[in-house]
Amino acid sequence: MKIALDAMGGDFAPQAAVAGAVLAAQRLAGKAQVVLIGSEAEIRSLLFEHGPSATTLEVVPASQVIEMGEHPTKAFQQKQDSSIAVGYRLLHSGEVDAFCSAGNTGAMLVGAMFTVKAVPGVLRPAIANFVPKVGGGMGIMVDVGANADCKPEMLEQFGELGSLYAQYVLGIARPKVGLMSLGEEEGKGSAVTQAAHQLLKVNPHVHFIGNIEGRDLFNDKADVIVCDGFTGNVILKMAESMYDIMVARQLNDAYFEKLNYETVGGSPILGINDNAIIGHGVSTPLAICNMLMQGYQMAQSGIVDQIKDTFKS
Amino acid sequence: MKIALDAMGGDFAPQAAVAGAVLAAQRLAGKAQVVLIGSEAEIRSLLFEHGPSATTLEVVPASQVIEMGEHPTKAFQQKQDSSIAVGYRLLHSGEVDAFCSAGNTGAMLVGAMFTVKAVPGVLRPAIANFVPKVGGGMGIMVDVGANADCKPEMLEQFGELGSLYAQYVLGIARPKVGLMSLGEEEGKGSAVTQAAHQLLKVNPHVHFIGNIEGRDLFNDKADVIVCDGFTGNVILKMAESMYDIMVARQLNDAYFEKLNYETVGGSPILGINDNAIIGHGVSTPLAICNMLMQGYQMAQSGIVDQIKDTFKS
């Protein structure tokens, strides 16, 4: 099995990316190989600094880089030899089993849609993120930014996609699916969430537990939190900032430490025909390493085949 | 000046409400009187327990109570002698200058619309909530739950309403108005926020600073945070739950303590022809007292006249 990394993606690339890849390669030894994509000279020189064993890592050259500020679609189309474009080509051709990048999020989404494409039946792929539960374990929130405006049917599918991920990657037998709203009662919510509630209620693929509220994010009510990408993005960034404020104020706590993006690694794109993960722009080597580990787990789980099966009908 | 309290509103009413009113009456002595509305016998008996000075508080009888779970419109129309209905009658007739309740939020909104009504020109009144800033001071977020679905013009007005409140009640000279979105760039957001961005950009009544993100909630970027009631409600409840988790984990911190709803008191309804404040269902005496103090400040500030003036044109 091969897990590829965009070595040029992220604010501290290629240094942080290469260092993270070296860490992951050690952890995955005997199970999977890490493939680095980007400027071969730069990557080889950095690998050399990490010692003899690091120099054995596979490098696939890519001469271009999509910068953080670039327009995703334009950049992806024009920079065909960018690390993101090359990564998706390797993924699509089956040369690698997962592709991870802490680079331009939009370009990662565009690349997914242009190359590996959405699973037939999936209206719109979504980005998932993990939510540590106070009582232990992890929940998953879908969508956290790919789709600002959602139709009820999209929210319904986010519930299905999240539920499959919770089952096959997180190992939760019968994931509880909750719909983020502004009240527990069925009739509460926006027009879209009210309609999505009715769809989820009768969907045979999910164990729908009804509406949840902002206060339920970290408790055990739901394993899968369904929301539009606008709400999910606000939630995600707000949680991150509260963690940052706690760190700045020297409040150390084992639970809140789980909100540290470094320990999670990245956000999988769900609903595409392959395993792609988007990392945080400020990714450190540890975050990169954890993103690659997550890519391995995702590839290992066969989640994409499960999604294809579910949406086939 | 008279500040009225629904003595029957809240999970711990009338005990907590009466105790909070007694506290507020002490603080407001010489400046304003506190008026208690509800079951006269119960209130008088509770006031008696608080000592001789408490027995001088004014009580206006109301024979009915709108319960937390009741349908707001139905309950408000059918229970014309409920503490909420009586409170709004006193407010509308000018017998009291502000009305506060920790009871049924929906009934408080319905009552506002049926009695004191929306300020002419205001499309939809909104509920505001306070956001403590890490760098000190308070921000205000509008809307936090009255309007789950918003038109761009409504978001624009929330910016105006919040800006006036920040100026005249919080004393911020030129409040920075930020639009909650999923990216800083102008083009990022939902269809509604993108349209609202264009309206706010050219609105002469607000100092619009552009989009903000979930991570900016607690920093100094914006004094006024504009969002639809769905997003605002999720944010508010999520922040409260994170505070609760911190308390449960014995993480004590002066900054995060400001997230405690008790210290804020309540959420004003903005865009109606009078001063009404909604409190938290679980309000303690301290929370009730702070809600009444806030009612006093709001009445004192003349904010409603400022809103009427702005929306007259």
Side-chain angles (χ1 to χ4, degrees):
Chain A
M1 186 171 284
K2 287 187 179 184
I3 312 299
L5 174 71
D6 168 12
M8 315 312 280
D11 299 342
F12 311 121
Q15 289 78 5
V18 171
V22 171
L23 269 175
Q26 287 162 359
R27 292 203 199 164
L28 291 170
K31 292 188 281 191
Q33 282 176 271
V34 174
V35 178
L36 285 155
I37 304 165
S39 157
E40 193 168 9
E42 278 186 84
I43 297 170
R44 290 244 178 260
S45 140
L46 287 165
L47 285 173
F48 184 78
E49 291 171 23
H50 283 279
S53 69
T55 58
T56 62
L57 260 70
E58 189 177 339
V59 179
V60 174
S63 63
Q64 294 171 304
V65 177
I66 297 178
E67 303 295 341
M68 286 306 210
E70 284 193 82
H71 186 278
T73 314
K74 218 183 285 179
F76 187 82
Q77 287 178 314
Q78 288 171 354
K79 294 185 170 176
Q80 280 299 305
D81 201 39
S82 63
S83 47
I84 289 180
V86 171
Y88 272 117
R89 273 207 297 278
L90 295 176
L91 188 66
H92 189 45
S93 67
E95 289 166 78
V96 301
D97 302 280
F99 175 49
C100 307
S101 173
N104 187 313
T105 300
M108 277 297 285
L109 279 171
V110 168
M113 298 307 286
F114 282 16
T115 58
V116 299
K117 296 192 172 71
V119 167
V122 170
L123 296 167
R124 295 281 289 272
I127 305 176
N129 208 78
F130 304 98
V131 182
K133 298 295 185 176
V134 177
M138 268 298 178
I140 183 171
M141 179 161 65
V142 192
D143 175 33
V144 298
N147 309 283
D149 290 297
C150 289
K151 293 197 166 69
E153 293 75 13
M154 288 164 65
L155 293 181
E156 181 190 16
Q157 290 197 344
F158 296 168
E160 295 183 73
L161 292 168
S163 188
L164 289 167
Y165 194 96
Q167 261 176 280
Y168 292 97
V169 187
L170 303 181
I172 301 169
R174 194 168 174 249
K176 292 171 286 184
V177 176
L179 177 64
M180 185 55 76
S181 188
L182 79 181
E184 285 181 351
E185 301 87 344
E186 194 173 318
K188 288 209 172 166
S190 63
V192 168
T193 64
Q194 286 184 47
H197 186 112
Q198 297 307 317
L199 298 173
L200 283 162
K201 215 167 67 169
V202 296
N203 185 308
H205 298 123
V206 297
H207 172 35
F208 184 54
I209 55 117
N211 287 353
I212 58 169
E213 300 178 82
R215 68 167 65 97
D216 300 317
L217 197 69
F218 304 109
N219 66 27
D220 286 328
K221 269 201 186 162
D223 302 302
V224 179
I225 294 162
V226 175
C227 55
D228 61 80
F230 187 95
T231 308
N233 192 271
V234 170
I235 289 174
L236 173 65
K237 287 176 180 163
M238 180 178 154
E240 276 180 10
S241 79
M242 286 185 85
Y243 168 78
D244 289 343
I245 295 169
M246 289 181 72
V247 170
R249 297 186 68 83
Q250 298 180 300
L251 292 163
N252 300 310
D253 180 77
Y255 168 68
F256 283 104
E257 187 53 35
K258 293 180 188 168
L259 285 180
N260 183 352
Y261 78 93
E262 278 189 306
T263 61
V264 174
S267 300
I269 307 177
L270 299 184
I272 57 172
N273 287 302
D274 228 311
N275 303 302
I277 299 181
I278 301 171
H280 207 297
V282 296
S283 282
T284 57
L286 177 61
I288 296 281
C289 170
N290 282 325
M291 172 163 64
L292 289 165
M293 296 303 295
Q294 199 185 310
Y296 168 72
Q297 281 153 15
M298 205 175 158
Q300 185 75 3
S301 72
I303 172 75
V304 169
D305 288 333
Q306 297 295 342
I307 291 173
K308 285 180 189 167
D309 258 16
T310 302
F311 285 88
K312 207 164 49 186
S313 52
Chain B
M1 185 171 285
K2 287 186 179 184
I3 312 300
L5 174 71
D6 168 12
M8 316 310 281
D11 299 343
F12 311 120
Q15 289 78 6
V18 171
V22 171
L23 269 175
Q26 288 161 359
R27 292 203 200 164
L28 290 171
K31 293 188 279 190
Q33 281 177 271
V34 173
V35 177
L36 285 155
I37 304 164
S39 157
E40 193 168 9
E42 277 187 87
I43 296 170
R44 291 244 177 259
S45 142
L46 286 164
L47 285 173
F48 184 78
E49 291 171 22
H50 284 279
S53 70
T55 58
T56 62
L57 260 72
E58 189 177 338
V59 179
V60 174
S63 64
Q64 294 171 305
V65 177
I66 297 177
E67 303 295 341
M68 287 305 210
E70 283 192 82
H71 187 279
T73 314
K74 216 182 285 177
F76 188 83
Q77 287 178 313
Q78 289 173 353
K79 294 184 169 176
Q80 281 298 306
D81 201 39
S82 64
S83 47
I84 289 181
V86 171
Y88 272 117
R89 273 209 296 279
L90 294 176
L91 187 65
H92 189 44
S93 66
E95 289 165 78
V96 300
D97 303 281
F99 175 49
C100 307
S101 173
N104 187 312
T105 300
M108 277 297 285
L109 280 170
V110 168
M113 298 307 285
F114 282 15
T115 58
V116 298
K117 295 193 174 71
V119 167
V122 170
L123 296 166
R124 294 281 289 272
I127 305 176
N129 208 77
F130 303 98
V131 182
K133 298 294 186 178
V134 176
M138 268 301 178
I140 182 170
M141 180 162 64
V142 191
D143 174 32
V144 297
N147 309 284
D149 290 297
C150 289
K151 293 195 166 71
E153 293 76 13
M154 286 164 66
L155 293 181
E156 181 191 15
Q157 291 196 343
F158 296 168
E160 295 184 72
L161 292 168
S163 188
L164 288 167
Y165 194 96
Q167 261 177 279
Y168 292 97
V169 187
L170 302 181
I172 301 169
R174 193 168 174 247
K176 292 171 284 185
V177 175
L179 177 64
M180 185 54 76
S181 188
L182 80 181
E184 285 180 351
E185 301 86 345
E186 193 173 321
K188 287 210 172 166
S190 64
V192 168
T193 64
Q194 286 183 49
H197 187 112
Q198 297 308 318
L199 297 173
L200 282 163
K201 215 167 67 169
V202 295
N203 185 309
H205 298 121
V206 297
H207 172 35
F208 184 54
I209 54 118
N211 287 353
I212 58 168
E213 300 178 81
R215 68 167 65 95
D216 301 316
L217 197 68
F218 304 109
N219 67 26
D220 287 328
K221 269 201 185 162
D223 302 302
V224 179
I225 294 163
V226 175
C227 56
D228 62 79
F230 187 95
T231 308
N233 191 270
V234 170
I235 289 173
L236 173 66
K237 287 176 179 163
M238 180 178 154
E240 276 180 10
S241 79
M242 286 185 84
Y243 168 77
D244 289 343
I245 296 170
M246 289 181 71
V247 170
R249 297 186 68 84
Q250 298 180 300
L251 292 163
N252 300 309
D253 180 76
Y255 168 68
F256 283 104
E257 188 53 35
K258 294 179 188 169
L259 284 179
N260 183 352
Y261 78 93
E262 279 189 306
T263 62
V264 174
S267 300
I269 307 176
L270 299 185
I272 56 172
N273 287 302
D274 228 310
N275 304 301
I277 299 180
I278 302 172
H280 208 297
V282 297
S283 283
T284 58
L286 177 61
I288 295 281
C289 170
N290 283 324
M291 173 163 63
L292 289 165
M293 296 304 294
Q294 199 186 310
Y296 168 72
Q297 280 152 17
M298 205 175 158
Q300 186 74 4
S301 71
I303 171 75
V304 170
D305 288 332
Q306 296 295 341
I307 292 174
K308 286 180 190 167
D309 257 16
T310 302
F311 285 88
K312 207 163 51 185
S313 51

